[in-house]
Amino acid sequence: MAFKPLHDRVLVRRIESDEKTAGGLIIPDSAKEKPSEGEIIACGEGARKDSGELIPMSVKDGDRILFGKWSGTEVTIDGEELLIMKESDVLGIL
């Protein structure tokens, strides 16, 4: 993949959740919500302060993350649906 996010943005692949509930019921596709868990594919170099000093990223490639339900912009790169979001949209690392 020849895509590199800029500044404090990350490229995320959604991780699909289980298709069964804890009780064993199968969830149909129409009832599923989009997962809010993903894996970071690529990171930018980080944001910059007003002085020009680089603020390093808190996440790195390969991290499993949680993000908000409406976070990011959906894009298709090489036939795969991915999300581009700011680092501040990441809620935490799993």
Side-chain angles (χ1 to χ4, degrees):
M1 181 177 308
F3 183 82
K4 174 78 173 152
L6 298 176
H7 309 295
D8 65 338
R9 290 182 173 79
V10 294
L11 184 65
V12 177
R13 176 184 297 130
R14 288 184 193 266
I15 297 175
E16 296 297 326
S17 59
D18 294 335
E19 295 187 4
K20 287 186 179 182
T21 64
L25 297 175
I26 296 175
I27 302 170
D29 288 339
S30 60
K32 285 185 187 176
E33 291 187 10
K34 289 187 176 181
S36 59
E37 186 177 327
E39 177 184 1
I40 295 184
I41 305 301
C43 292
E45 60 187 24
R48 294 210 177 260
K49 294 181 182 179
D50 290 336
S51 64
E53 182 184 343
L54 184 67
I55 303 169
M57 299 284 278
S58 300
V59 295
K60 62 186 180 308
D61 295 1
D63 280 352
R64 244 178 117 131
I65 60 165
L66 288 177
F67 51 88
K69 189 173 187 174
W70 305 108
S71 298
T73 302
E74 293 182 354
V75 296
T76 302
I77 300 174
D78 295 336
E80 184 177 14
E81 289 188 21
L82 303 169
L83 288 170
I84 299 174
M85 65 181 71
K86 287 190 163 263
E87 184 186 24
S88 60
D89 291 337
V90 175
L91 302 175
I93 301 171
L94 295 174

